[in-house]
Amino acid sequence: MSLLTDLINLDLSDNTKKIIAEYIWVGGSGMDMRSKARTLSGPVTDPSELPKWNYDGSSTGQAPGEDSEVILYPQAIFKDPFRRGNNILVMCDTYTPAGEPIPTNKRHAAAQIFSNPAVVDEVPWYGIEQEYTLLQKDVNWPVGWPIGGFPGPQGPYYCSVGADKSFGRDIVDAHYKACLYAGINISGINGEVMPGQWEFQVGPSVGISAADEVWIARYILERITEIAGVVVSFDPKPIPGDWNGAGAHTNYSTQSMREEGGYEIIKKAIDKLGLRHKEHISAYGEGNERRLTGHHETADINTFKWGVANRGASIRVGRDTEKEGKGYFEDRRPASNMDPYVVSSMIAETTILWNP
């Protein structure tokens, strides 16, 4: 008799050309991820080969019950690390039956910005540092923390090793490898300052593909923590008090910034970001005011400042960029629960398209 694990790991390619496509989209809260699977007649390599699909938007907070159909448009394909073989994960965005993007579809507006010729010419690169916290199921308390109590103060946990300092590494490493398998340009992982908190980095990736990859990486992480019986939190300040929050620092450069004389372009871009500080903050994630306090490696939410190698600034420029006179900068304001479509496109819009 087959065991459940045997059936889960069946290699379909031995008996059929059919594949399974897992259609993935962002739900009504703007942070919840939804997915469902369908059978396709054979392998697919481009989203244009995939059929549109639909779902009940009234059950995801995205449509009224009397007109509940929402249409899924496939936009990006990744290899499925769970089913493997030729099976795929499909990042979709969401539309009405008439073809209008629904309000929670943030990808559509981002795609318009990234398809602007001025933005295309600048080839914007993004490196997104996604922080998150692993919580014990049912109690919503970080893994490795005593129930109802606290570990020792911060200090020993950042990039740490050892059973008394590093909690959840098996999940983190499984996620790292699954993302590489899927074709996500994941560039690294590390343990964070607060115990039970981790980070993965996506990029450098060009334009909207960076946001697609972050969403799929989040989906894979949700699936792995589901298997492990652990909850992943993207709350920007999961534990009040003297504990670091969780962000999604966004590293950014354009072609002009990467070329000779790019440092002057960087400074002009940072000036533009400062002029639109409030607009950016309002779009950089919910609950960010609990994180951006001016403490724990953050700038105060109401203050815009930048500096070289300053992790207490809104925008940090690296020493290498200053020395070489070209490179990139890091926007440290986005919260861990930010929408990467919104943040990446807004940075491009402000620095490339917007004229004060």
Side-chain angles (χ1 to χ4, degrees), residues 99-255:
E100 296 294 322
I102 66 172
T104 53
N105 179 356
K106 305 304 182 184
R107 192 186 193 281
H108 181 265
Q112 290 181 317
I113 291 170
F114 283 119
S115 63
N116 185 293
V119 177
V120 172
D121 288 346
E122 283 289 356
V123 196
W125 289 3
Y126 296 89
I128 299 175
E129 306 171 26
Q130 176 68 71
E131 294 179 337
Y132 60 93
T133 308
L134 297 174
L135 304 178
Q136 301 170 61
K137 190 180 176 184
D138 301 325
V139 295
N140 282 332
W141 202 239
V143 295
W145 290 38
I147 301 296
F150 295 88
Q154 294 184 152
Y157 309 109
Y158 174 69
C159 296
S160 64
V161 294
D164 58 339
K165 295 180 288 292
S166 180
F167 312 116
R169 189 185 299 275
D170 52 347
I171 292 170
V172 174
D173 207 46
H175 175 251
Y176 194 177
K177 292 176 180 176
C179 285
L180 286 170
Y181 180 94
I184 293 167
N185 190 23
I186 185 170
S187 47
I189 56 99
N190 61 267
E192 270 302 330
V193 177
M194 189 182 87
Q197 193 177 85
W198 293 82
E199 172 185 300
F200 65 87
Q201 302 96 32
V202 168
S205 299
V206 178
I208 204 166
S209 64
D212 286 334
E213 291 178 13
V214 169
W215 273 119
I216 292 295
R218 286 175 173 177
Y219 174 82
I220 291 172
L221 182 57
E222 292 271 16
R223 287 281 304 273
I224 289 173
T225 53
E226 174 189 318
I227 293 167
V230 169
V231 175
V232 59
S233 170
F234 295 102
D235 189 290
K237 186 73 173 180
I239 305 296
D242 195 18
W243 304 98
N244 273 36
H249 301 156
T250 301
N251 300 275
Y252 171 73
S253 70
T254 63
Q255 186 71 41

Side-chain angles (χ1 to χ4, degrees), residues 263 306-310 315-319 322:
Y263 194 37
W306 73 277
V308 176
N310 183 357
I315 305 290
R316 181 186 68 86
V317 174
R319 290 284 183 203
E322 181 189 43

Side-chain angles (χ1 to χ4, degrees), residues 241-276:
D242 195 18
W243 304 98
N244 273 36
H249 301 156
T250 301
N251 300 275
Y252 171 73
S253 70
T254 63
Q255 186 71 41
S256 299
M257 295 174 190
R258 296 187 293 268
E259 294 175 345
E260 294 302 320
Y263 194 37
E264 292 304 312
I265 305 296
I266 288 172
K267 288 192 285 187
K268 289 177 182 178
I270 293 172
D271 287 342
K272 283 185 171 185
L273 289 169
L275 292 173
R276 295 190 75 194

Side-chain angles (χ1 to χ4, degrees), residues 19-23 38-53 72-78 88-92:
I19 69 161
I20 300 170
E22 190 78 27
Y23 279 45
R38 68 182 299 164
T39 305
L40 301 176
S41 58
V44 174
T45 57
D46 191 271
S48 63
E49 302 172 44
L50 290 165
K52 295 174 184 175
W53 206 7
L72 293 168
Y73 286 33
Q75 298 292 357
I77 290 176
F78 300 85
I88 54 175
L89 305 177
V90 184
M91 190 66 209
C92 304

